[in-house]
Short mmCIF file of all heavy atoms in Angstrom, two decimals:
data_model
loop_
_atom_site.label_atom_id
_atom_site.label_comp_id
_atom_site.label_asym_id
_atom_site.label_seq_id
_atom_site.Cartn_x
_atom_site.Cartn_y
_atom_site.Cartn_z
N MET A 305 292.48 96.69 -49.21
CA MET A 305 291.32 96.71 -50.12
C MET A 305 291.43 95.50 -51.05
O MET A 305 291.87 95.61 -52.21
CB MET A 305 291.27 98.02 -50.89
CG MET A 305 289.87 98.33 -51.43
SD MET A 305 288.71 98.80 -50.11
CE MET A 305 289.22 100.50 -49.82
N ALA A 306 291.00 94.35 -50.54
CA ALA A 306 291.20 93.09 -51.26
C ALA A 306 290.52 93.09 -52.61
O ALA A 306 291.04 92.51 -53.58
CB ALA A 306 290.68 91.93 -50.41
N GLY A 307 289.37 93.74 -52.72
CA GLY A 307 288.58 93.66 -53.94
C GLY A 307 289.20 94.31 -55.14
O GLY A 307 288.87 93.98 -56.29
N VAL A 308 290.14 95.26 -54.93
CA VAL A 308 290.81 95.93 -56.05
C VAL A 308 292.33 95.81 -55.95
O VAL A 308 293.06 96.50 -56.65
CB VAL A 308 290.41 97.42 -56.14
CG1 VAL A 308 289.01 97.57 -56.69
CG2 VAL A 308 290.54 98.12 -54.79
N HIS A 309 292.81 94.92 -55.06
CA HIS A 309 294.25 94.61 -54.97
C HIS A 309 295.08 95.86 -54.69
O HIS A 309 296.11 96.10 -55.32
CB HIS A 309 294.72 93.93 -56.27
CG HIS A 309 293.80 92.89 -56.78
ND1 HIS A 309 293.53 91.74 -56.07
CD2 HIS A 309 293.06 92.83 -57.92
CE1 HIS A 309 292.67 91.01 -56.77
NE2 HIS A 309 292.36 91.64 -57.88
N GLN A 310 294.63 96.63 -53.70
CA GLN A 310 295.32 97.87 -53.36
C GLN A 310 295.33 98.09 -51.85
O GLN A 310 294.59 97.43 -51.11
CB GLN A 310 294.63 99.08 -54.02
CG GLN A 310 294.72 99.11 -55.54
CD GLN A 310 293.92 100.27 -56.12
OE1 GLN A 310 292.82 100.58 -55.68
NE2 GLN A 310 294.47 100.91 -57.15
N LEU A 311 296.15 99.04 -51.40
CA LEU A 311 296.06 99.60 -50.07
C LEU A 311 295.46 101.00 -50.19
O LEU A 311 295.86 101.78 -51.06
CB LEU A 311 297.43 99.69 -49.40
CG LEU A 311 298.22 98.38 -49.24
CD1 LEU A 311 299.53 98.66 -48.51
CD2 LEU A 311 297.41 97.33 -48.52
N TRP A 312 294.49 101.29 -49.33
CA TRP A 312 293.91 102.62 -49.24
C TRP A 312 294.13 103.13 -47.82
O TRP A 312 294.59 102.38 -46.94
CB TRP A 312 292.40 102.59 -49.54
CG TRP A 312 292.01 102.30 -50.96
CD1 TRP A 312 292.61 101.44 -51.83
CD2 TRP A 312 290.90 102.88 -51.67
NE1 TRP A 312 291.95 101.43 -53.03
CE2 TRP A 312 290.90 102.31 -52.97
CE3 TRP A 312 289.93 103.80 -51.33
CZ2 TRP A 312 289.95 102.64 -53.92
CZ3 TRP A 312 288.97 104.14 -52.29
CH2 TRP A 312 288.98 103.57 -53.58
N ALA A 313 293.80 104.39 -47.60
CA ALA A 313 293.88 104.95 -46.25
C ALA A 313 292.71 105.89 -46.02
O ALA A 313 292.32 106.65 -46.90
CB ALA A 313 295.20 105.67 -46.02
N TYR A 314 292.19 105.82 -44.80
CA TYR A 314 291.15 106.74 -44.33
C TYR A 314 291.78 107.70 -43.33
O TYR A 314 292.47 107.27 -42.38
CB TYR A 314 290.01 105.96 -43.67
CG TYR A 314 289.06 106.81 -42.85
CD1 TYR A 314 288.11 107.62 -43.46
CD2 TYR A 314 289.14 106.80 -41.45
CE1 TYR A 314 287.25 108.40 -42.71
CE2 TYR A 314 288.27 107.58 -40.69
CZ TYR A 314 287.34 108.38 -41.33
OH TYR A 314 286.48 109.15 -40.58
N ASP A 315 291.59 108.98 -43.54
CA ASP A 315 292.14 110.00 -42.65
C ASP A 315 291.03 110.54 -41.76
O ASP A 315 290.14 111.26 -42.23
CB ASP A 315 292.76 111.13 -43.48
CG ASP A 315 293.62 112.06 -42.62
OD1 ASP A 315 293.35 112.18 -41.41
OD2 ASP A 315 294.55 112.66 -43.18
N PRO A 316 291.04 110.20 -40.46
CA PRO A 316 289.97 110.66 -39.57
C PRO A 316 289.99 112.16 -39.34
O PRO A 316 288.99 112.73 -38.88
CB PRO A 316 290.23 109.89 -38.27
CG PRO A 316 291.67 109.52 -38.32
CD PRO A 316 292.02 109.35 -39.76
N ARG A 317 291.09 112.81 -39.69
CA ARG A 317 291.17 114.26 -39.45
C ARG A 317 290.29 115.05 -40.41
O ARG A 317 289.71 116.07 -40.03
CB ARG A 317 292.63 114.71 -39.56
CG ARG A 317 293.51 114.17 -38.44
CD ARG A 317 294.98 114.35 -38.75
NE ARG A 317 295.41 113.58 -39.92
CZ ARG A 317 296.67 113.44 -40.31
NH1 ARG A 317 297.63 114.03 -39.62
NH2 ARG A 317 296.97 112.72 -41.38
#
Side-chain angles (χ1 to χ4, degrees):
M305 202 72 78
V308 286
H309 316 297
Q310 293 176 320
L311 302 182
W312 290 38
Y314 165 76
D315 193 332
R317 292 166 295 188

